[in-house]
């Protein structure tokens, strides 16, 4: 069975308006699911970056208390790079969310104005 045959639900050999609408609705549904999954993945990624930035000093302290002074020193040496990278992830996430929210508000406002 081809994709055409799947779309042609009444089997008349022509994809009619109702069938196109059904395909478009399914496409929009899948697009919404994909966007939702993407947002959730980005949110989790940012959460892990924030948790890592908060836990990092405690890892250094723990290594020092347990007597791993060399390890604590090495972890401390890379702390500045790690914190900058994790901060960049968090800043990018927040910035892109603010930008997309502003763009979405503008698009909604423009749609409302055109409807009037």
């Amino acid at each position: 069975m081809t994709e055409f045959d799947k779309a042609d639900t009444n089997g008349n050999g022509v994809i009619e308006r109702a069938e196109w609408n059904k395909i478009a609705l399914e496409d929009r549904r899948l697009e919404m699911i994909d966007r939702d999954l993407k947002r959730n993945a980005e949110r989790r990624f940012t959460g892990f970056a924030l948790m890592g930035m908060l836990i990092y000093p405690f890892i250094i302290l723990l290594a020092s208390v347990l007597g791993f002074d060399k390890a604590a020193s090495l972890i401390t040496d890379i702390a500045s790079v790690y914190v900058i990278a994790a901060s960049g992830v968090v800043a990018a996430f927040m910035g892109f969310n603010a930008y997309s929210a502003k763009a979405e508000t503008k698009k909604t406002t423009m749609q409302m104005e055109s409807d009037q």
Side-chain angles (χ1 to χ4, degrees), residues 46 86-96:
T46 304
S87 297
V89 168
V90 173
F93 175 76
M94 290 181 176
F96 283 122

Side-chain angles (χ1 to χ4, degrees), residues 1-109:
M1 178 175 262
T2 65
E3 292 298 318
F4 179 83
D5 293 333
K6 290 178 188 175
D8 185 22
T9 55
N10 61 6
N12 66 351
V14 176
I15 298 178
E16 297 171 353
R17 172 63 86 192
E19 294 166 331
W20 278 115
N21 290 341
K22 187 176 178 183
I23 292 169
L25 182 63
E26 179 66 15
D27 186 52
R28 270 190 269 157
R29 186 184 73 80
L30 292 174
E31 199 173 298
M32 286 172 33
I33 290 171
D34 287 345
R35 277 188 274 151
D36 188 44
L37 290 172
K38 181 179 182 261
R39 275 192 309 265
N40 289 341
E42 289 171 347
R43 197 173 298 128
R44 274 194 306 273
F45 183 67
T46 304
F48 283 126
L50 276 172
M51 296 265 271
M53 282 190 337
L54 294 173
I55 294 173
Y56 205 87
F58 294 110
I59 292 172
I60 295 169
L61 183 65
L62 182 66
S64 181
V65 167
L66 292 176
F68 300 117
D69 294 325
K70 181 70 174 171
S73 173
L74 291 172
I75 294 171
T76 304
D77 289 342
I78 63 170
S80 60
V81 175
Y82 175 76
V83 169
I84 290 171
S87 297
V89 168
V90 173
F93 175 76
M94 290 181 176
F96 283 122
N97 276 344
Y99 176 76
S100 66
K102 185 176 179 181
E104 189 65 32
T105 303
K106 186 176 182 179
K107 186 185 347 177
T108 304
T109 305

